[in-house]
Amino acid sequence: MLTLFAEGGDAIFTGRARCSLGFNVTTGNGDPGILTADHCAAAGRQWSLAQGGRPVATVKQATFPGNGDFSLLTYNDTATDAPSVVDTGGGRTVTITRAAAAKVNQQVLRMGSTTGLHQGRVTARGGCPAPHGSPARSAHQTSRSKSSLRAR
């Protein structure tokens, strides 16, 4: 079993592109994966944890524009143990326990590998979320689970 030390908010790389890992998830068929922004998937299909490093994940599904801005990457080694936590800086982490639809006026956080930690409130639903940092379709620590993804 491969144990990764990649957490939400950490940088991931493909070619010369850099994006932020949203957080680790388990896919509907039980494979370990990564949820991140889809505008990242446009840069490449194979992702690594270091610039020029060995690819550890492959884009499986991508949605942008339209119904969101998210990508599901699956780890190339299905035995990967990848904890679903977000590194919020200063040695602090937030454990992700489930994903849920955002609610208007809900407080949300996002952590980007270059932009850092930011908080805000959901002002509307149905549009495309902010283009930088972790996926904004409220996959934070909120109420009901989505059936196709669950945090690891």
Side-chain angles (χ1 to χ4, degrees):
M1 176 185 302
L2 174 66
T3 300
L4 293 177
F5 297 101
E7 301 170 331
D10 289 350
I12 56 176
F13 302 89
T14 186
R16 296 190 322 183
R18 172 188 175 136
C19 276
S20 298
L21 187 156
F23 55 90
N24 292 303
V25 297
T26 300
T27 66
N29 66 357
D31 291 337
I34 295 171
L35 190 63
T36 192
D38 179 57
H39 61 266
C40 297
R45 308 271 314 149
Q46 295 285 315
W47 289 82
S48 65
L49 302 179
Q51 184 73 45
R54 178 180 57 86
V56 297
T58 303
V59 175
K60 181 176 182 173
Q61 178 184 350
T63 301
F64 181 76
N67 293 325
D69 179 10
F70 65 91
S71 291
L72 174 64
L73 287 62
T74 53
Y75 283 104
N76 298 338
D77 180 347
T78 58
T80 298
D81 180 26
S84 192
V85 297
V86 176
D87 179 353
T88 58
R92 295 179 311 263
T93 61
V94 174
T95 300
I96 304 300
T97 57
R98 67 184 131 238
K103 296 178 183 176
V104 173
N105 207 32
Q106 175 183 355
Q107 184 175 351
V108 293
L109 300 171
R110 73 164 172 87
M111 181 67 187
S113 63
T114 59
T115 59
L117 181 65
H118 295 276
Q119 68 179 6
R121 292 206 176 272
V122 176
T123 58
R125 289 190 38 165
C128 182
H132 299 293
S134 298
R137 260 190 96 91
S138 193
H140 300 283
Q141 62 229 69
T142 56
S143 56
R144 77 187 147 101
S145 295
K146 289 193 176 221
S147 59
S148 61
L149 299 174
R150 69 180 186 277
R152 292 183 54 78

